[in-house]
Amino acid sequence: IKKAKNAQPDALEESAAQALYELQVNSDKLKASLKDLYITAAKEIDLGEGKKAVVVFVPVPQLPQYQKLIREKGLIEELEKKFSGKNVVIIAERRIIRKESRKKGSRALKQLRPRSRTLTSVHNAVLEDLVFPTEIVGKRLRYKTDGSRLLKVHLQQDSKGVADKVDSFSKIYKSLTSKDVAFEFPSTLA
């Protein structure tokens, strides 16, 4: 665990790091791959009905290595075994930089804000990380009559094991970004 400003990790972060370390020591297929990787934080999210999910935050430069382990070697399944049936999600820890203010007395930013640090791009990247082994095929933003917005995300059809996690994905996304999202599998007509 490498936390910002040398903060002390809590019990959940310790257990997540311990689970990754045990996988590195015990698993032959994950041993070499996990050696240089670390996490920055972990968060437990209540999904309702007594279910919980563990969100593990990793540094953005290491996300491709984690995604390779998820795709090829089943890292998520191994972590879910360690956390006794809780859903485990690996997301990159991204930073949002506020919009530059036009007020005269405010501290002016010397550089322009990168597009990757905007609120919209960070939320889109969190959504991509959340459903990772599956690809997002399309998005629709639906405005309801009461003024609320619902983001409908269409996922790739041939994804195995994701259909049962769709509800937990939407609750995790809601707790991280406070935005409503609905996941769908589009029907393809031949």
Side-chain angles (χ1 to χ4, degrees):
I1 298 177
K2 290 188 181 178
K3 293 188 65 79
K5 299 177 185 169
N6 294 327
Q8 293 299 318
D10 60 5
L12 180 68
E13 292 168 346
E14 287 285 347
S15 64
Q18 184 65 31
L20 281 172
Y21 179 72
E22 289 173 3
L23 283 176
Q24 177 187 340
V25 170
N26 298 333
S27 177
D28 291 332
K29 61 183 179 178
L30 295 171
K31 185 176 286 192
S33 307
L34 284 174
K35 184 178 280 187
D36 297 328
L37 302 180
Y38 59 90
I39 66 172
T40 57
K43 184 177 179 182
E44 191 169 53
I45 295 175
D46 187 27
L47 300 176
E49 296 120 26
K51 289 185 169 183
K52 293 191 181 286
V54 177
V55 180
V56 178
F57 292 97
V58 299
V60 178
Q62 290 184 358
L63 185 67
Q65 287 111 336
Y66 275 104
Q67 288 180 341
K68 184 177 178 186
L69 291 175
I70 291 169
R71 188 182 307 114
E72 295 175 359
K73 299 182 179 169
L75 179 64
I76 293 291
E77 290 81 11
E78 296 291 331
L79 285 174
E80 285 176 350
K81 287 179 197 172
K82 295 277 186 190
F83 282 109
S84 66
K86 293 180 185 176
N87 287 343
V88 177
V89 178
I90 294 179
I91 295 177
E93 187 167 25
R94 293 183 171 86
R95 180 162 309 191
I96 299 172
I97 299 177
R98 65 179 172 80
K99 201 171 187 178
E100 186 174 337
S101 175
R102 292 179 183 241
K103 293 181 183 176
K104 194 167 196 150
S106 67
R107 179 178 57 89
L109 297 173
K110 302 266 189 260
Q111 293 179 335
L112 287 175
R113 174 177 64 163
R115 294 271 187 221
S116 63
R117 305 290 195 283
T118 62
L119 180 83
T120 306
S121 70
V122 168
H123 285 185
N124 286 339
V126 165
L127 190 62
E128 297 261 339
D129 294 348
L130 191 61
V131 298
F132 168 65
T134 312
E135 288 187 29
I136 295 176
V137 185
K139 294 180 194 173
R140 304 285 182 269
L141 187 59
R142 178 160 184 245
Y143 291 91
K144 296 183 180 177
T145 55
D146 63 350
S148 63
R149 293 185 289 188
L150 175 68
L151 179 66
K152 289 187 175 183
V153 177
H154 301 286
L155 299 176
Q156 194 173 15
Q157 188 68 33
D158 61 325
S159 56
K160 58 184 186 306
V162 174
D164 54 341
K165 293 184 179 182
V166 167
D167 291 333
S168 63
F169 285 165
S170 61
K171 290 180 181 169
I172 291 170
Y173 189 74
K174 172 80 174 174
S175 71
L176 291 176
T177 63
S178 69
K179 289 183 178 179
D180 290 321
V181 67
F183 294 98
E184 298 175 348
F185 295 99
S187 58
T188 54
L189 300 173

